[in-house]
């Protein structure tokens, strides 16, 4: 069966890196990152830009879902609110696709360490720590499979993603 992986989690937890590792393990797989649709200057989060980004994400995902070439799609994005997931479910044509919604979570000290590594490398600003840690408690309430990645490498995370149960 064709599989769409919806991988969410706070910034810095390793969604993109684990998603790329998963892509390498799957045949006929497209990788998409929701952050690509937020790549704008100035970066403005308004009701209008939120709607624009979500519409663009749904359009792109539907194009990949409708292409017979792909048997797997890995989509990564923060997806910290149930309404975001609900909008995706209502907007995507997933007939013939198994959807595996996953939230990557970890212990706060692990997330802080990952973010500090990114900050030291110049990949993220210092302000990302507080923002990301404030999102972490939101994921347990979501209707997703929770995957604790504390202490897991991206490769180990990808292997766990491959072995996830089929959601009800």
């Amino acid at each position: 069966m064709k599989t769409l992986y919806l991988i969410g989690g706070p910034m810095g937890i390793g969604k993109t890196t684990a998603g790329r590792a998963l892509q390498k393990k799957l045949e006929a797989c497209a990788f998409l990152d929701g952050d690509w649709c937020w790549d704008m200057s100035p970066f403005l989060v308004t009701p209008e830009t939120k709607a624009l980004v979500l519409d663009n994400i749904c359009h792109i995902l539907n194009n990949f879902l409708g292409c017979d070439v792909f048997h797997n799609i890995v989509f990564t994005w923060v997806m910290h609110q149930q309404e975001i997931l609900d909008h995706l479910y209502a907007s995507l044509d997933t007939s013939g696709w198994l959807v595996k919604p996953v939230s990557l979570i970890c212990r706060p000290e692990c997330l802080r360490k990952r973010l500090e590594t990114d900050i030291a490398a110049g990949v993220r600003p210092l302000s990302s720590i507080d923002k990301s840690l404030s999102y972490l408690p939101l994921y347990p309430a979501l209707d997703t499979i929770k995957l604790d990645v504390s202490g897991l490498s991206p490769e180990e995370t990808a292997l766990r993603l491959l072995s996830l149960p089929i959601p009800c």
Side-chain angles (χ1 to χ4, degrees), residues 3 7 16 24 26 40-41 50 76 78 83 91 93 96 98 103 105 108 113 120 125 149 158 160 165 167:
T3 305
I7 303 172
T16 300
K24 291 177 183 175
L26 296 168
M40 58 183 83
S41 181
K50 284 181 186 178
T76 62
V78 172
E83 60 212 39
S91 302
D93 181 1
L98 172 65
S103 293
I105 57 172
K113 184 176 179 183
V149 298
R160 299 263 176 104

Side-chain angles (χ1 to χ4, degrees), residues 89-140:
Y89 299 143
S91 302
L92 298 177
D93 181 1
T94 57
S95 52
W97 287 81
L98 172 65
V99 179
K100 289 193 175 186
V102 183
S103 293
L104 302 185
I105 57 172
C106 69
R107 295 185 308 274
E109 62 272 16
C110 293
L111 182 56
R112 178 178 291 278
K113 184 176 179 183
R114 290 174 188 219
L115 289 163
E116 287 172 347
T117 300
D118 286 353
I119 291 165
V123 177
R124 297 184 193 280
L126 183 59
S127 62
S128 64
I129 293 176
D130 289 339
K131 184 173 184 180
S132 188
L133 286 172
S134 74
Y135 278 29
L136 191 57
L138 302 176
Y139 291 93

Side-chain angles (χ1 to χ4, degrees), residues 1 3 9 13-14 33 55 64 66-67 69 77 83 99 115 122 139 157:
M1 165 145 300
T3 305
I13 201 160
D33 188 326
D55 183 60
F64 278 91
C67 182
V69 170
W77 197 29
E83 60 212 39
V99 179
L115 289 163
Y139 291 93
T157 301

